[in-house]
Amino acid sequence: MTTDVLYISHGGGPMPLLGDPDHSELVTALTELSARLRRPSAILVISAHWEESLPTITAGARPPLIYDYYGFPPESYAITYPCPGDPALAERIRQALEQSGIPARLDPQRGFDHGLFVPLKIMYPEADIPCVQLSLVDSLDAAAHIAIGQALRGLEQENLLVIGSGFSFHNMRAFFAPATPEIDAANRAFEDWLEDTCASTALDENERTQRLVQWEQAPHARFCHPREEHLLPLQVCYGLAGRPCESHLTATILRKRAGMFYWRAGTPGRGQ
């Protein structure tokens, strides 16, 4: 399997598609990323906006869109992204998880939430690449999500792009509170820790894994993530890649620093 792996901060609801100035750096970063990547044969998205008791995979041939946000202008609910699904890929994902001892199921009815269609409409606006979405597990256990990523190493699919779609900073109150030196310092300290954890070649993979499992010990972790669903797609991405990322990008989104991490297709690291 040749797989590019990418963790992105996807911004606030549909705002990146509405010309919001606080998302201009995000739009630029995603556009530049898609230009750097090989064109994928299919895309697997792990979205922060879907949790199930077991890992669950969209299995419809033409999944509808789920407008899972509230209070936005009417055009937000008329966004289209008519990409096809890929039921055969969904089944291979289920098998890869099951073969690693992780029970999983297919959902032929569920659509694509905005964790998929908002960033992909920026990155691949033609909507002609087959897409599949994989849920988080509602235990929100970091080690379990790393294990899901490790299980995906057994997936048979050439030129797959795996995207963990979350947000490296996700404190909703802080997004809309007046900026203070304390909030900015907490945001910066956690982002610095996250970059060091994912990119440093001084860490071995056991150390990197333990840091991502015990992420709550990071500086200001629970301030930056009162609930961890927007961070956990990163754990899945790292579990799949198993090594330090090749590149790290930073964008200011909603006046907060946010990170994105890219692992080029290659052999997973050892030591886990």
Side-chain angles (χ1 to χ4, degrees):
M1 178 180 70
T2 56
T3 306
D4 285 327
V5 181
L6 180 63
Y7 171 80
I8 62 171
S9 293
H10 61 219
M15 295 171 75
L17 301 178
L18 302 179
D20 177 62
D22 281 339
H23 286 78
S24 61
E25 289 189 21
L26 168 61
V27 172
T28 298
L30 292 179
T31 302
E32 291 177 353
L33 274 168
S34 63
R36 288 170 51 188
L37 296 170
R38 300 169 304 158
R39 179 177 169 83
S41 63
I43 301 172
L44 168 61
V45 175
I46 301 97
S47 170
H49 294 280
W50 186 20
E51 299 171 25
E52 297 284 352
S53 58
L54 297 175
T56 305
I57 309 111
T58 58
R62 286 283 174 183
L65 300 190
I66 302 172
Y67 301 104
D68 54 338
Y69 39 72
Y70 307 95
F72 290 96
E75 58 265 32
S76 306
Y77 306 94
I79 292 168
T80 60
Y81 195 73
C83 67
D86 193 333
L89 174 58
E91 173 58 20
R92 291 196 295 276
I93 293 168
R94 188 195 66 79
Q95 290 177 6
L97 293 169
E98 295 272 358
Q99 287 166 4
S100 292
I102 300 174
R105 69 181 185 90
L106 302 177
D107 187 338
Q109 304 302 321
R110 192 187 192 272
F112 294 143
D113 62 51
H114 77 272
L116 183 149
F117 70 78
V118 169
L120 290 191
K121 194 171 180 71
I122 296 166
M123 297 175 72
Y124 301 103
E126 299 85 0
D128 57 353
I129 300 172
C131 293
V132 170
Q133 194 169 323
L134 171 64
S135 77
L136 300 176
V137 177
D138 60 12
S139 67
L140 304 184
D141 179 76
H145 288 84
I146 291 175
I148 289 169
Q150 291 169 341
L152 293 175
R153 296 179 190 175
L155 182 60
E156 295 297 328
Q157 177 76 29
E158 289 301 314
N159 199 20
L160 179 68
L161 173 60
V162 176
I163 298 178
S165 182
F167 212 146
S168 65
F169 179 92
H170 198 254
N171 182 317
M172 295 300 292
R173 289 187 178 183
F175 278 135
F176 301 104
T180 67
E182 293 79 14
I183 290 175
D184 290 345
N187 174 208
R188 185 168 56 251
F190 183 79
E191 292 294 327
D192 287 346
W193 175 88
L194 202 59
E195 179 181 359
D196 183 62
T197 296
C198 293
S200 174
T201 56
L203 298 174
D204 67 32
E205 299 319 312
N206 285 321
E207 292 172 317
R208 201 181 321 277
T209 298
Q210 286 308 304
R211 286 176 75 155
L212 287 169
V213 168
Q214 299 169 4
W215 69 274
E216 290 177 275
Q217 297 179 14
H220 307 285
R222 276 299 177 190
F223 174 78
C224 295
H225 289 277
R227 193 173 186 274
E228 55 265 49
E229 80 286 345
H230 275 73
L231 184 65
L232 289 173
L234 174 62
Q235 274 82 347
V236 179
C237 288
Y238 171 69
L240 173 55
R243 64 182 192 277
C245 66
E246 269 73 34
S247 62
H248 166 257
L249 293 80
T250 296
T252 299
I253 307 170
L254 292 170
R255 297 174 294 127
K256 300 296 179 288
R257 180 176 155 195
M260 306 189 196
F261 301 91
Y262 169 55
W263 292 264
R264 187 179 299 109
T267 303
R270 300 183 178 223
Q272 299 175 61

